[in-house]
Amino acid sequence: MELGLHIADFTYPAGPSGLADDLVTIAQTAEAQGFAKLSVMDHLWQIGPVGPVDTDMLEAYTALGYLAAVTEKVDLLAWVTATVYREPGLLAKAVTTLDVLSKGRAYLGIGAAWNEEECVGLGLPFPSTAERFERLEETLQICLQMWSDDNGAYDGKHYRLGSTLNVPQALRRPHPPILIGGSGEKKTLRMVAQYAQACNLFGGPDVEHKLNVLRSHCESLGTDYEAIEKTVMFPLDPGADGANVDELLGQLKPLADLGVSHVHGWVPGVAEITPLEILGDRVIPVIADW
């Protein structure tokens, strides 16, 4: 099992003037401590569970490009891209650019989008739930076509591209891995089985059930269930001086037993750096053998 760091809060003690330096320290420390993935949210305003709406938030793909320049090994992705925030051709180009400039470390993390408040506030499209899922599936198809040898047109219900030319191509082969966030049993997990290399679930008592649903979709579609990376979003709080480490390990072990190979989460007090060092010293080496 691996850990990944989700950077969801950009409100640090030094404020916006020191944000870039703080972000470098966080990213480089996480990489040095053995975190496998580094992600940012694809939000333009802060979300309620993390902090007040008017606290600092960075645009995802600009931030990821910056992180690519200051790291060397860690995989980079938006956790997860809101499919309606960018036209699919532009999104595929952005992820390709990230992959090339990071020397092959990009993922496409993507979901159907949910934050109506910021969409209305900033004039972004926010169609019905059904349409967002239709657009998500077409976006996946377009990205895969742009990462293939097929430069032809794409003619869908919502998107029409005259040519899917994509030069340079991504370095990762056959393409940057696709992670689809969400646990919807009829649409989301079916799309994971059909298009993705990784799923993302929220930790809780229904993880085993959701994985069984995914397995069923894989069987129906002829997809190798074992080849799909199972990830779970889970809070990573080692506590003051590591007081919560044993409890955290006790929570992670059942997930590993279910086949979850990557746990991704927000670390409280991440700008203090010590929590990352505790996780790197006392958690990551232990779970690496699970």
Side-chain angles (χ1 to χ4, degrees):
M1 178 181 275
E2 301 172 332
L3 288 190
L5 176 62
H6 184 51
I7 303 177
D9 182 5
F10 297 98
T11 303
Y12 306 140
S17 64
L19 201 162
D21 292 336
D22 286 335
L23 199 56
V24 170
T25 302
I26 291 166
Q28 292 180 343
T29 301
E31 184 171 72
Q33 293 298 326
F35 284 79
K37 292 182 178 64
L38 182 63
S39 73
V40 296
M41 293 196 297
D42 191 21
H43 286 294
L44 304 169
W45 295 347
Q46 185 55 273
I47 62 173
V50 179
V53 68
D54 59 352
T55 49
D56 298 329
M57 178 55 58
L58 300 179
E59 192 279 322
Y61 281 93
T62 309
L64 289 169
Y66 181 73
L67 291 171
V70 300
T71 56
E72 297 179 353
K73 299 179 294 184
V74 68
D75 284 329
L76 301 167
L77 71 160
W79 205 293
V80 289
T81 306
T83 192
V84 295
Y85 285 15
R86 299 164 190 83
E87 293 295 297
L90 179 60
L91 175 61
K93 191 67 178 182
V95 177
T96 300
T97 300
L98 178 63
D99 194 66
V100 170
L101 296 183
S102 68
K103 300 181 180 180
R105 295 186 283 129
Y107 267 62
L108 169 59
I110 193 165
W114 61 267
N115 195 327
E116 183 176 8
E117 181 183 17
E118 69 183 4
C119 289
V120 171
L122 296 177
L124 298 171
F126 193 77
S128 68
T129 300
E131 182 176 326
R132 295 200 309 278
F133 275 96
E134 290 174 352
R135 289 178 178 271
L136 171 59
E137 184 153 21
E138 290 192 15
T139 296
L140 291 165
Q141 294 169 353
I142 290 166
C143 286
L144 287 170
Q145 183 168 326
M146 288 184 66
W147 288 328
S148 75
D149 295 329
D150 180 1
N151 294 336
Y154 177 89
D155 188 12
K157 178 179 179 181
H158 300 286
Y159 300 112
R160 293 170 180 82
L161 285 71
S163 170
T164 51
L165 179 68
N166 188 34
V167 181
Q169 269 294 359
L171 302 183
R172 213 155 187 173
R173 289 289 182 264
H175 55 75
I178 296 170
L179 176 148
I180 299 177
S183 58
E185 297 182 13
K186 293 182 179 180
K187 295 181 180 179
T188 305
L189 293 178
R190 190 267 302 167
M191 280 190 247
V192 171
Q194 187 167 353
Y195 300 106
Q197 289 70 57
C199 69
N200 181 245
L201 306 172
F202 288 98
D206 63 348
V207 170
E208 183 174 11
H209 169 70
K210 298 296 183 180
L211 290 176
N212 286 334
V213 172
L214 175 60
R215 186 190 299 272
S216 177
H217 283 302
C218 288
E219 290 172 353
S220 298
L221 293 166
T223 303
D224 183 1
Y225 170 82
E226 299 300 332
I228 295 175
E229 182 181 18
K230 288 80 178 177
T231 79
V232 165
M233 180 66 79
F234 195 87
L236 300 174
D237 183 4
D241 298 321
N244 297 345
V245 165
D246 289 342
E247 180 183 0
L248 179 60
L249 289 170
Q251 294 168 329
L252 296 179
K253 186 60 168 69
L255 295 174
D257 292 342
L258 291 174
V260 174
S261 60
H262 182 90
V263 173
H264 204 81
W266 175 55
V267 177
V270 67
E272 299 170 9
I273 302 302
T274 300
L276 294 176
E277 295 173 336
I278 293 172
L279 291 168
D281 182 51
R282 297 177 55 186
V283 176
I284 289 175
V286 174
I287 67 174
D289 295 328
W290 293 353

